[in-house]
Amino acid sequence: MLTLTSGAVQVIRTVTANPEMPPETGIRIESGIDGSDALRLSVAPAPEAGDQVVEAEGARVYLEQTVAQLLDDKTLDAQVDSQGDVAFTIAEGTEHPEA
C-alpha cells in the first residue's frame, strides 16, 4: 500500500482544510488522460467507486484502481517551495526523506 511521508500528510491536510468542502475531501491520484505514464493529482470531495483509500493522520489519498497497483510499494512525499508551490514526488519503497 502507498505510504505517506509526514511532509505529504502535512501538505494534503493543508490543501484539503477548506471548511466549505466535505470532511472526506482528499487528494485523488489517477492515470493521465493521454495514456502516458504521467499521473494526475486533484482535490476530490470523496473517493470514486473502486478507489483505494489511504489515510494517515487525517490526510486522505484516493487511488484509482490501476494507480493503486502501480503505487502499491511506493512512498508519496510533498514539499512546498519558497513561492508556495507544492511538489509531490513518488519514491521507491519506504525509504524516504523525513520532513
Side-chain angles (χ1 to χ4, degrees):
M1 181 178 285
L2 179 70
T3 304
L4 307 180
T5 66
S6 58
V9 167
Q10 182 178 9
V11 169
I12 292 167
R13 287 173 47 185
T14 300
V15 168
T16 60
N18 184 335
E20 296 177 14
M21 300 184 98
E24 322 56 65
T25 299
I27 298 295
R28 185 166 194 270
I29 303 175
E30 59 189 324
S31 301
I33 294 174
D34 59 3
S36 71
D37 290 340
L39 299 175
R40 291 186 339 160
L41 189 140
S42 61
V43 176
E48 292 186 15
D51 281 357
Q52 181 183 87
V53 178
V54 176
E55 187 169 357
E57 300 174 40
R60 291 177 193 81
V61 177
Y62 306 129
L63 302 171
E64 179 184 64
Q65 276 187 330
T66 55
V67 171
Q69 293 172 354
L70 177 70
L71 301 181
D72 186 49
D73 60 347
K74 307 288 191 281
T75 299
L76 180 68
D77 191 18
Q79 296 181 342
V80 180
D81 67 18
S82 60
Q83 296 169 335
D85 294 325
V86 176
F88 284 92
T89 55
I90 297 171
E92 293 292 326
T94 56
E95 295 181 23
H96 53 81
E98 289 299 319

